[in-house]
Amino acid sequence: MSLKLQLNNVSKRYGNTKAIDSISFDAEGNNIIALLGVNGSGKTTLLRTIAGLERADEGSLSINNEELGLPELRKIATLVFQRTVMFSRSVYDNLAFGLRIRGLEKEKIAGEVSKALEAVGLRDLDRRKAKKTSGGEQQRIALARAFLLNPKILLLDEPTANLDVSSAKIVEEIIKNRRTKDCVIILATHNLHQAKRLADEIFHIHEGRILERATPAEFFTNPRNENTKRFINGELQF
Ligand SMILES: Nc1ncnc2c1ncn2[C@@H]1O[C@H](COP(=O)(O)OP(=O)(O)OP(=O)(O)O)[C@@H](O)[C@H]1O
Ligand SMILES: [Mg+2]
């Protein structure tokens, strides 16, 4: 059986702003979901809430029908931020850090780190100072760091926002290769082509709600919602 994530009427306010407004959906492992929506529509807030970094004001989140609190969500879900932060150490140390905290043995850490670097095609970079790698490489290092945690929910906030076309393609391939039945992948993007290439399903987020949920083929050729049509045509603002 594949993993099942469910959100049930989840809302999150910041003061008077309802950043996400009664969002419900379910998603299964082996799926990549792309969140599309204009600036300020609630994509990052939704990712942060699923990651257990924000407490929902209302509603519940469950995995395989079991409701989860913030500590459990944080264990199960990993969010890769748009801007990655590297420590002033080697790429290897940046990756090993989380495993050292967990008390893994040295050899085990070395094995895991090289596997993760291999997965993102950066095995030769392990001794390099992480801060002296390019933006695209750092984005891949951040993905490798997330993979090491073996998340059941992998959340990516604009994973290719600052990358050139070829680096973005590499990152997209890495994300695709991570699709397994034990993992739901949700990414926020402003790149409609990327959503089309990567996603099994697209959610159009607007004013904190899911306006449209569809496969890329349906989403772009036959959107049901008027605002989704306007969004695709670049006519929608927050
Ligand atoms: N920490 C915060 N404090 C107050 N308001 C916030 C905070 N974070 C987000 N908001 C507000 O919540 C709403 C949703 O923001 P969010 O960052 O989730 O949007 P987004 O869809 O990720 O936008 P973008 O495409 O620009 O990244 C916006 O109105 C934003 O101003
Ligand atoms: Mg955002």
Side-chain angles (χ1 to χ4, degrees):
M1 202 185 79
S2 61
L3 183 104
K4 192 168 79 179
L5 165 70
Q6 279 181 304
L7 269 72
N8 190 8
N9 292 315
V10 173
S11 296
K12 171 73 195 168
R13 280 176 182 283
Y14 296 111
N16 289 329
T17 308
K18 213 162 193 185
I20 52 176
D21 185 3
S22 202
I23 284 201
S24 299
F25 70 87
D26 52 81
E28 292 209 356
N30 225 8
N31 274 293
I32 300 180
I33 293 168
L35 308 179
L36 291 177
V38 295
N39 292 133
S41 54
K43 303 178 297 296
T44 297
T45 307
L46 179 58
L47 294 177
R48 291 180 58 83
T49 307
I50 298 172
L53 301 175
E54 302 284 354
R55 186 183 298 279
D57 300 319
E58 288 158 41
S60 62
L61 295 98
S62 323
I63 296 261
N64 297 339
N65 301 318
E66 197 180 321
E67 194 173 324
L68 302 178
L70 295 197
E72 289 103 20
L73 283 171
R74 286 181 195 160
K75 271 190 210 144
I76 285 175
T78 297
L79 172 61
V80 178
F81 299 93
Q82 181 179 348
R83 275 175 228 284
T84 59
V85 184
M86 298 285 146
F87 309 120
S88 303
R89 303 285 297 268
S90 68
V91 169
Y92 182 91
D93 286 337
N94 268 269
L95 294 186
F97 179 75
L99 301 180
R100 286 187 187 131
I101 286 181
R102 288 185 183 176
L104 260 70
E105 293 165 28
K106 225 174 157 182
E107 291 79 47
K108 176 94 177 136
I109 293 175
E112 294 288 313
V113 170
S114 73
K115 243 193 329 194
L117 279 175
E118 181 88 50
V120 299
L122 292 180
R123 224 181 52 181
D124 296 341
L125 239 60
D126 58 343
R127 296 289 147 204
R128 178 92 65 84
K129 288 257 184 244
K131 293 208 171 190
K132 293 194 174 156
T133 55
S134 74
E137 287 162 351
Q138 289 192 22
Q139 201 62 264
R140 285 150 76 184
I141 296 166
L143 282 171
R145 201 156 58 179
F147 293 170
L148 280 172
L149 303 172
N150 253 326
K152 293 195 187 311
I153 308 172
L154 178 62
L155 306 161
L156 308 166
D157 202 356
E158 303 188 29
T160 60
N162 302 309
L163 305 186
D164 67 43
V165 179
S166 66
S167 295
K169 284 253 159 71
I170 293 170
V171 168
E172 284 180 12
E173 279 307 307
I174 293 167
I175 295 168
K176 266 195 214 160
N177 288 337
R178 199 64 192 180
R179 198 198 258 125
T180 71
K181 73 175 181 36
D182 300 317
C183 182
V184 175
I185 301 176
I186 307 178
L187 64 108
T189 180
H190 285 290
N191 184 332
L192 305 193
H193 299 292
Q194 177 168 77
K196 206 180 220 168
R197 284 192 296 265
L198 265 187
D200 300 295
E201 272 199 294
I202 297 175
F203 293 3
H204 177 205
I205 311 287
H206 190 63
E207 297 181 341
R209 292 172 162 268
I210 300 175
L211 284 194
E212 177 112 11
R213 172 183 182 166
T215 61
E218 288 171 70
F219 190 91
F220 290 107
T221 57
N222 194 20
R224 290 176 295 263
N225 190 288
E226 274 311 309
N227 277 327
T228 303
K229 278 182 204 162
R230 293 175 58 217
F231 170 73
I232 293 167
N233 294 328
E235 294 161 6
L236 192 64
Q237 288 175 345
F238 191 66

